[in-house]
């Protein structure tokens, strides 16, 4: 899930959610979910919101590293001869 600073930037500019929604061409309901961090916007919505706020998209939206799940480690094979041959189909 992506983090964002939409609400803080919107409030700095003195905009209501409806005003930002109209300027960004994003439904109010989607903007509300974005501000609550309950929804990651698609690229079109993210770009529209950032443009309406007058900021680069990477300043408004960022990866929330605290919510990233760790992947299981994978086995690395350094020698291709250790890879078992596939049985003929």
């Amino acid at each position: 899930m992506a983090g964002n600073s939409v609400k803080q930037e919107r409030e700095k500019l003195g905009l209501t959610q409806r005003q930002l929604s109209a300027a960004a061409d994003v439904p109010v309901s989607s903007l509300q979910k974005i501000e609550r961090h309950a929804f990651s916007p698609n690229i079109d919505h993210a770009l529209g919101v950032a443009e309406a706020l007058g900021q680069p998209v990477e300043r408004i939206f960022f990866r929330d590293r605290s919510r990233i799940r760790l992947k299981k480690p994978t086995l690395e094979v350094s020698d291709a001869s250790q890879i078992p041959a596939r049985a003929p189909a």
Side-chain angles (χ1 to χ4, degrees):
M1 175 96 39
N4 70 74
S5 60
V6 174
K7 183 176 181 178
Q8 294 85 346
E9 294 298 323
R10 176 180 61 77
E11 289 176 343
K12 277 187 203 174
L13 295 174
L15 297 173
T16 66
Q17 286 180 333
R18 288 197 185 281
Q19 290 170 324
L20 179 56
S21 168
D25 195 26
V26 173
V28 175
S29 60
S30 294
L31 183 61
Q32 290 168 337
K33 290 175 188 172
I34 292 167
E35 286 191 358
R36 288 193 320 264
H37 305 271
F39 174 74
S40 290
N42 65 35
I43 191 69
D44 187 51
H45 286 173
L47 290 170
V49 169
E51 184 178 302
L53 292 171
Q55 299 289 336
V57 71
E58 63 272 13
R59 184 163 190 281
I60 302 298
F61 296 94
F62 47 88
R63 194 170 204 184
D64 185 355
R65 300 232 178 248
S66 67
R67 300 181 84 174
I68 296 173
R69 294 185 188 132
L70 296 177
K71 294 181 181 178
K72 292 181 182 178
T74 57
L75 176 64
E76 291 187 29
V77 178
S78 59
D79 182 0
S81 67
Q82 295 178 18
I83 300 172
R86 292 181 87 181

